[in-house]
Amino acid sequence: LLSVSDAQGISVIATHSNAIDHFPLGGVFTDNGDNVIAFGDDTIDTDVTFRDVGVPYRIDSTVNIRDAEVLDEPGVEIRVGSDVFLDFGWNGNTATVLAGGTEDAPIVFRGETEEAGYWRGVRINAEVTRNSALSNLVIRDAGGNDTAALDIRSVINLNDVRLERNAVGAYIGEQGLNEDSSHLTVTGTESYPLTIEPDAWVTLPKG
């Protein structure tokens, strides 16, 4: 159990993914200058689960995810810094991402500042495993520097994914999506809401 109150700055700084994975549940975070759990590493190379600890996580620099499985549990909110990029399967490495929100408790990736294009986005590279899935996930405020808010280059599963208030929407490469995908919604995009390679059209989710 860990509780933090009345800190002038950030509630907690986690300097490695192991600190996130083993973060104690049940604590209370109140009256802090910045009531977040800040992740302070630029690489995730060990398996990690982001759990709903009652306050948002914050990522202030680009994170390369390689040779690791990243799980996001229902209700997790991740606030992302300016021009930051979350790169799954970086540099040809494998990675697995399982973002499993629910209708009542979606997972939210949003900018520290709530404005379109504040951060770059999420890239799912070609070596990301095909058992990866994004479910009940919301991505907001991304698409900065002409980068897709959600860039998909591996055959993963999407279910009830919403892109809202981004500068650029989603990109789906020629590999397409898992055939069981459903409900990709893109709204409030300043530029192109969806760019999809011709071979991927047949995999575009229904609904």
Side-chain angles (χ1 to χ4, degrees):
L1 185 69
L2 172 66
S3 295
V4 181
S5 61
D6 300 314
Q8 292 185 352
I10 296 168
S11 300
V12 178
I13 300 175
T15 58
H16 190 272
S17 55
N18 282 336
I20 297 293
D21 197 53
H22 295 94
F23 198 87
L25 301 178
V28 177
F29 303 90
T30 57
D31 300 321
N32 299 299
D34 197 350
N35 221 33
V36 297
I37 310 298
F39 180 64
D41 200 355
D42 62 1
T43 300
I44 293 177
D45 55 8
T46 59
D47 294 352
V48 59
T49 299
F50 286 80
R51 298 177 175 86
D52 183 3
V53 296
V55 294
Y57 296 91
R58 196 179 84 187
I59 296 176
D60 287 327
S61 61
T62 290
V63 178
N64 299 316
I65 299 98
R66 55 184 176 87
D67 301 323
E69 181 176 272
V70 177
L71 279 71
D72 296 307
E73 293 189 345
V76 164
E77 179 179 308
I78 297 179
R79 297 183 181 181
V80 188
S82 176
D83 207 36
V84 166
F85 196 48
L86 305 181
D87 200 0
F88 289 87
W90 170 79
N91 198 29
N93 293 280
T94 62
T96 299
V97 55
L98 297 168
T102 66
E103 184 176 352
D104 293 331
I107 295 162
V108 178
F109 289 4
R110 49 152 283 199
E112 289 180 28
T113 297
E114 296 182 282
E115 62 181 41
Y118 183 76
W119 61 292
R120 291 196 182 191
V122 175
R123 175 180 287 172
I124 308 295
N125 285 295
E127 298 305 317
V128 169
T129 60
R130 293 191 174 199
N131 64 315
S132 295
L134 308 178
S135 301
N136 286 285
L137 170 70
V138 180
I139 298 176
R140 296 188 184 119
D141 312 318
N145 201 27
D146 291 325
T147 303
L150 179 60
D151 184 332
I152 302 174
R153 299 168 186 262
S154 179
V155 183
I156 66 168
N157 199 323
L158 299 187
N159 287 291
D160 296 300
V161 172
R162 304 197 311 271
L163 275 59
E164 303 171 348
R165 196 179 58 221
N166 296 295
V168 181
Y171 169 82
I172 302 173
E174 62 184 7
Q175 80 292 325
L177 299 171
N178 184 289
E179 61 182 5
D180 294 327
S181 296
S182 64
H183 298 98
L184 170 64
T185 303
V186 184
T187 59
T189 311
E190 290 184 346
S191 182
Y192 300 108
L194 176 64
T195 301
I196 183 167
E197 298 296 339
D199 288 347
W201 273 108
V202 295
T203 71
L204 192 64
K206 296 180 180 179

